[in-house]
Amino acid sequence: MNIRSLTRGDGVVIGAAVVLFIASFLDLFGFDCPAGINCSNAPNAWDSLGLLMSVYLAGIIGAALVIVGRATPGRKVVGFDLGQFGAAFSIFAVWTAFWSIIDASNAGAGMILGLLAAIVLAGGAVATPLVPALKAPLVSASGPRGVQQPPYGGQPQPGQGYGYPGAQQPSYGGQPGQQQPFGGQPQPGQPEPQPQPQAAAQQAPAAGAPAGDFTPFWFAVPVARPLYGEDGSPSPIAELAPGTWYLAVEQRGPGLIAQTQDGRRGVLQDTTGIQRG
């Protein structure tokens, strides 16, 4: 699993599952130990099969289903997403832990900490798709070293073209760096610009044809976007996830030929708001 694909909500879910696992080894009930009696063998969740399965392991299993469901979107069981099953498990763990601690007159550290961890786990599982702050990447995407990252939706800096880092853009009908109004005439005292023999070579390639001087670059998408096959099939072959860097190997019309981390290549049709590396 790529850690860059995890969100802050996923981090909350994983952390709560770890705390829930630790709480299963703590005492379920608290009591004052009389003098001269060994009270070191107080029961924990592993001594109570019902609490272990319905609270602690149910919450941990729910957290695992949530993380796996978000890492592999579209995978379903009996018509439901794995993330939905995981959220249901976590809510069930909160429900059982709450009534168990109400029923216990002397709840111990293991039961109290287990209830708090189950509440946080269920909250992270349910709220992550709804709260923008929890949908943000857990680890900020960082491209190749020494490359300054533009923000999502940022445009190339002056003097840089799309896919041509550092390339200077010639003005329409004139020399590079020479400003002329569209369709205007040379100012008095200025020589009339002569046709340049290299003008034809600097024309952009036709739409749909790969750019001959295209420079591959790394990029990330702001939201999940489908990647379609190069043969033009309407069904996506993969989904690009935010927080993960992909390699643009070719430009095809308004889209990009992108390569995933497992080597698959396809067409990214929607390139708006991508973050270049």
Side-chain angles (χ1 to χ4, degrees):
M1 180 182 299
N2 187 1
I3 192 173
R4 290 180 178 174
S5 65
L6 296 178
T7 63
R8 293 176 183 174
D10 297 333
V12 171
V13 171
I14 294 174
V18 172
V19 174
L20 194 61
F21 179 74
I22 295 174
S24 66
F25 294 97
L26 303 180
D27 298 343
L28 288 176
F29 306 101
F31 54 89
D32 295 330
C33 184
I37 299 179
N38 183 13
C39 300
S40 59
N41 294 327
N44 57 29
W46 296 91
D47 299 318
S48 176
L49 183 61
L51 279 177
L52 177 66
M53 298 302 298
S54 59
V55 176
Y56 299 90
L57 289 186
I60 295 174
I61 293 173
L65 290 176
V66 168
I67 299 303
V68 173
R70 290 174 184 164
T72 57
R75 181 173 296 181
K76 296 184 178 181
V77 177
V78 198
F80 295 94
D81 292 335
L82 290 180
Q84 295 175 338
F85 269 105
F89 266 92
S90 62
I91 294 174
F92 174 74
V94 174
W95 176 264
T96 307
F98 175 76
W99 290 111
S100 298
I101 203 171
I102 291 295
D103 185 57
S105 58
N106 54 348
M111 191 172 292
I112 296 174
L113 187 60
L115 174 62
L116 296 177
I119 292 175
V120 174
L121 193 154
V126 174
T128 296
L130 306 176
V131 180
L134 294 178
K135 291 192 294 185
L138 180 62
V139 178
S140 59
S142 57
R145 295 184 179 179
V147 178
Q148 185 177 3
Q149 308 296 331
Y152 280 145
Q155 300 296 329
Q157 299 298 322
Q160 293 184 351
Y162 181 69
Y164 302 86
Q168 294 185 356
Q169 306 299 320
S171 58
Y172 182 84
Q175 300 290 338
Q178 181 180 5
Q179 301 296 330
Q180 291 186 5
F182 181 78
Q185 300 297 328
Q187 298 298 323
Q190 294 183 353
E192 183 177 355
Q194 300 297 323
Q196 299 299 319
Q198 300 174 349
Q202 295 177 352
Q203 298 298 327
D213 51 354
F214 179 83
T215 301
F217 62 91
W218 295 92
F219 72 95
V221 292
V223 294
R225 288 178 179 171
L227 191 68
Y228 297 93
E230 296 186 66
D231 56 357
S233 59
S235 301
I237 62 172
E239 185 178 60
L240 305 187
T244 303
W245 287 99
Y246 303 96
L247 182 63
V249 297
E250 185 179 315
Q251 185 171 1
R252 181 169 296 179
L256 291 173
I257 301 297
Q259 179 173 321
T260 63
Q261 295 180 343
D262 56 4
R264 290 180 292 175
R265 289 177 43 157
V267 181
L268 176 64
Q269 297 179 354
D270 186 3
T271 60
T272 57
I274 63 173
Q275 177 183 359
R276 293 183 46 170

